Amino acid sequence: MVNYECILLAAGEGQRAALGYNKVLYKINGKKELFRYSLDYFIKDELCKKIIMVISEKDKLYFINVFKTLKCNKIDFVIGGDTRGDSVKSGLKKVTSEYCIIHDSARPLIYKEDVYNLLNNAKETGGATLATKVYNTTCHIVDGYVDEYFSRSTLASIITPQCFRSEMLTVAYEEASKKGLTFTDDSSIFKACGNSVKLVFTDNISVKATTSYDIKLLEGILYAKDR
Ligand code: CTP
Ligand code: MG
């Protein structure tokens, strides 16, 4: 199994969660910040040799204080950018390993078997993403009406973590910048630049804290898990 470095994204503003501050700093059940769940995973995973936390200038002091208490020599940090893609680009500049894993710290549920499956699968094409099956009926919308239904068996919901050959992802970002292309995740940038993305399906539950409802849901799940 291959070693890797992790880019852990935490430089957003959390606008849709509407807390008035970055949602990843929210203390789940009054105890542990949201970002700490994935950070703790990568601290413990022995294949992870470096954690590059991407943070915003606004939250810098808060994070530095947390890092001090953790006393973990694997943690490094960098200031992110205005968009998620800009933050990934900042993180990539600090990557020195052949493979890197990119993860949204807004997703606290992370499992070793998924991370190791990703690492194994990324060797095939240089890029792999975790994905879940789609269980709801899904359609394309035009003007508030159903335009066309999709067959669920041909759909996947793409989540993080994702794993890439660091060099290939860096080149993909450079090409995307030149062409002025923007995307919501790294697998789509990787694919747009002519690479293949291997899908790694998981049955494990993954919830991204996007709205305040997601945060409530995560508090319930994590309360049950932490017991
Ligand atoms: N992120 C980041 N830098 C940005 C934007 C997002 O590092 N400029 C991170 C977030 O901290 C989060 C992850 O990328 O962990 C996924 O983004 P998202 O869920 O959209 O978080 P926010 O951008 O913070 O939320 P919103 O879009 O509602 O403002
Ligand atoms: Mg966002």
Side-chain angles (χ1 to χ4, degrees):
M1 194 81 71
V2 68
N3 290 333
Y4 67 91
E5 292 174 2
C6 170
I7 297 175
L8 190 53
L9 297 168
E13 289 184 14
Q15 276 174 3
R16 284 167 292 177
L19 296 171
Y21 60 92
N22 184 353
K23 66 193 177 191
V24 303
L25 303 182
Y26 177 82
K27 281 205 168 134
I28 295 290
N29 296 315
K31 289 187 182 146
K32 181 161 143 176
E33 295 94 341
L34 186 65
F35 76 90
R36 280 287 306 278
Y37 287 87
S38 46
L39 178 60
D40 285 354
Y41 171 82
F42 290 110
I43 288 174
K44 277 198 213 110
D45 185 344
E46 58 276 13
L47 293 183
C48 177
K49 298 300 171 192
K50 184 161 80 175
I51 303 157
I52 302 151
M53 286 276 331
V54 187
I55 61 178
S56 65
E57 192 65 54
K58 199 160 68 179
D59 299 329
K60 189 173 152 183
L61 286 180
Y62 188 98
F63 277 103
I64 287 177
N65 277 326
V66 175
F67 299 156
K68 271 186 198 149
T69 63
L70 290 173
K71 294 190 177 77
C72 171
N73 58 13
K74 288 205 294 191
I75 304 174
D76 194 357
F77 73 88
V78 67
I79 301 297
D82 288 343
T83 66
R84 186 186 179 283
D86 292 335
S87 291
V88 174
K89 270 197 269 181
S90 303
L92 273 173
K93 288 190 189 129
K94 289 223 163 197
V95 171
T96 57
S97 57
E98 189 180 359
Y99 286 89
C100 64
I101 281 187
I102 301 179
H103 185 62
D104 293 332
S105 71
R107 293 183 183 274
L109 302 165
I110 179 162
Y111 308 86
K112 193 167 190 169
E113 71 258 29
D114 290 337
V115 172
Y116 285 22
N117 266 341
L118 267 181
L119 285 167
N120 274 329
N121 279 281
K123 285 181 210 148
E124 208 181 292
T125 65
T129 180
L130 210 60
T132 58
K133 296 255 163 63
V134 173
Y135 296 115
N136 294 323
T137 300
T138 308
C139 70
H140 183 253
I141 317 165
V142 174
D143 296 333
Y145 290 86
V146 173
D147 173 41
E148 186 193 345
Y149 289 97
F150 296 121
S151 164
R152 284 181 304 196
S153 61
T154 65
L155 296 175
S157 189
I158 290 183
I159 57 177
T160 73
Q162 302 185 348
C163 180
F164 303 93
R165 276 188 79 107
S166 313
E167 177 67 33
M168 287 173 81
L169 186 63
T170 305
V171 169
Y173 261 97
E174 279 162 9
E175 282 182 23
S177 289
K178 270 187 223 149
K179 293 179 191 158
L181 304 173
T182 53
F183 296 93
T184 53
D185 83 327
D186 307 294
S187 75
S188 39
I189 289 195
F190 195 75
K191 170 89 170 84
C193 293
N195 304 301
S196 297
V197 178
K198 184 71 195 289
L199 290 167
V200 176
F201 283 96
T202 180
D203 288 327
N204 289 319
I205 182 164
S206 173
V207 178
K208 178 161 78 74
T210 304
T211 63
S212 56
Y213 171 79
D214 300 321
I215 295 176
K216 285 280 160 244
L217 181 64
L218 280 165
E219 288 196 302
I221 296 169
L222 291 165
Y223 179 78
K225 273 191 103 189
D226 287 346
R227 286 173 77 197

